Amino acid sequence: MYQSAKHYCLQSDISIYNINTNKNQESELHSSIKSQLNKKVFVSASAIIIALLLYTVALPKEAQALFGFVQAGIVDNGSWFYVLTVAFIFFFVVFLGFSRYGDIRLGPDHSLPDYPLLTWLSMLFAAGMGIGLMFFGVAEPLMHYLSPPTAETGTVEAVQEAMKMTFFHWGLHAWAIYAIVALVLAYFSYRHNLPLTLRSALYPLIGERIYQWPGHLVDIFAVVSTVFGVATSLGLGASQVNAGFGYLFGLDVSTTNQIIIMCVITALAVISVATGLDKGIRRLSEANMILAVSLLVLIFVLGPTVFLLKAYLQNMGDYLADIVHNTFNLFAYKKTNWIGGWTIFYWGWWLAWAPFVGLFIARISRGRTIREFILGVMLIPTLFTLLWMTIFGNSAIDLVYNQGVVALGDMVSQDSSVALFVFLENFPLTTVLSFFSVLMIVIFFVTSCDSGAMVVDMLCSHGKNDTPLWQRVYWAVGIGVVAAVLLLVGGLNALQTMTIASALPFSIVLLLAIIGLIKALRVEAFKQESQLITAIPHSSGENNDSWQIRLKNIVDFPNKTNVNHFISETVSPALELVAKELQDNQISVDISKEGGVSLIVNHGEEQEFVYRVVARKHSQPDFVNEADDDDQSYYRAEVHLGEGGQDYDIMGWSKTAVINNIIDQYHKHLHFLHLVR
């Protein structure tokens, strides 16, 4: 009954919307997918990872030189493109958050968020930047202070510039990159029933070819980028854990110990990924958020509290005042290596991590509106991140600038991995604070490893997360093995450089995906506009019910049996009558009894019309006094269209009234088709 894939042409904007309700089509087109595992992506990505790993292990210096050459070429010749891409993403995301598209839900119209707000924010924080804050919270502000881009070292201007640039690198732009990738994936997956993989972002541009090799290549790229991105972070961060254990327990700082640490972290990640998202990753993220807030409060209270409050507000003001200038500042008139070593590096790193973090955020964000999603992903983590950078960064600079603790600055210049622990030596309860810090770092590494394994597994499994245990364990162990091997042979820097360089092709793919998102949202706007028109009103007396009966229907709270009886005895005959009339007019119509009762009107290449009535359970209001106190629920006969639930109840309506409602909604749908032609 559904149209073939060739009908989804890009010449018509409506083609983008055709995927909205076609669950049956998806099952027909891809019925060949018996196993969750996409062997083409799984085998190809594994082979590429092994090949790159062997190359880096066999020729680490040559690999570093090659990847370094590529990165230098990108910085010299393509830095303007990175800056322009990130600027466009930032302003586009801000526009979406305040536009009329903000009311669109990432899922059917009736869907609700899968996770409570605090749990959602905790997982955002843990997957997005948690480990980076531990590593760079002290180190980066100090490094900017010691070597500012324009100010003179050791001055008040250097302090201000250090915090302003730290805010710039870790603020809204970084989270905007994560947000747009996650938004594209969540929108096409939850709104249009496409697989939750990176390939789905290109559906508006390449159509059904996302299920062929063009789509496979996109997912293979995302798998390789994610594995090496997480592995390099895991390897580089092992030195910080080693430094913390060395400070607390006198453990030698050595490659052997760092590999042992990574093995332990990998084992914990395997346990976490085996328990699943709702138990493992969720609980660890919540625990880490509690630890992070506790450590933040302790440093805030034990440090220069009033100064930090003033600094936070001033840092925010300086950051926002210069945000446009810094966004487009390429130091074109003042040649410097600073932008390549910092800003371009960060933009490349955030872009390289975006497939991993974006897919993870999309996975946990079903049911939220676009506006709620953007505000949650951009503002809340940004405010917390910048508060963290202020409390740790300003406190560290204050120790060096005002209190003369030059050893802290020297240590940052020599080995940034121990900067946090040298910083904590200047506070009371040093041992307690250091223990908390090490515990947080370990948990952050575990959540990065297990969420990375989950994302990679989804990319290799058609976007499914209910995969066999061995697949999740395979990728969790694989990430740990890659990190350990590269750390052992000194190849982490080479792979880190390669990861940054991979951001260039991904940024092109991302821009194409944004174009597809714009086209799809335009169609959504037409659909919403069509819902605002009023069909030819029918008389309220057509129901032939007295006002007493109408009132009884309103205040009645029926059980499931009564609603199902109404659907079978009144709604189904009404749908059949409308279907017969449409068929007499040479229009293709189907009736489905799955998940309620549905009328599906086919329009060839254009978007089909779906009118569905389902029995939905709700809690009774407090004013209802039922004899059976054990059952505090009732059911409604709710109307669902292709976009999802419409939140109105037709229980008790007459057959004529139901028919008129179907015609009203069908009239609106035809107006929608008119708008998008």
Side-chain angles (χ1 to χ4, degrees), residues 215-231:
H216 297 330
L217 291 174
V218 173
D219 283 349
I220 290 169
F221 170 81
V223 170
V224 175
S225 174
T226 298
V227 169
F228 283 126
V230 177

Side-chain angles (χ1 to χ4, degrees), residues 237-246 251 261 265 417 421 438 441-442 445:
S239 60
Q240 193 179 28
V241 178
N242 195 177
F245 284 143
L251 185 68
I261 290 170
I265 290 173
S417 63
F421 304 103
V438 173
I441 294 168
V442 171
F445 276 128

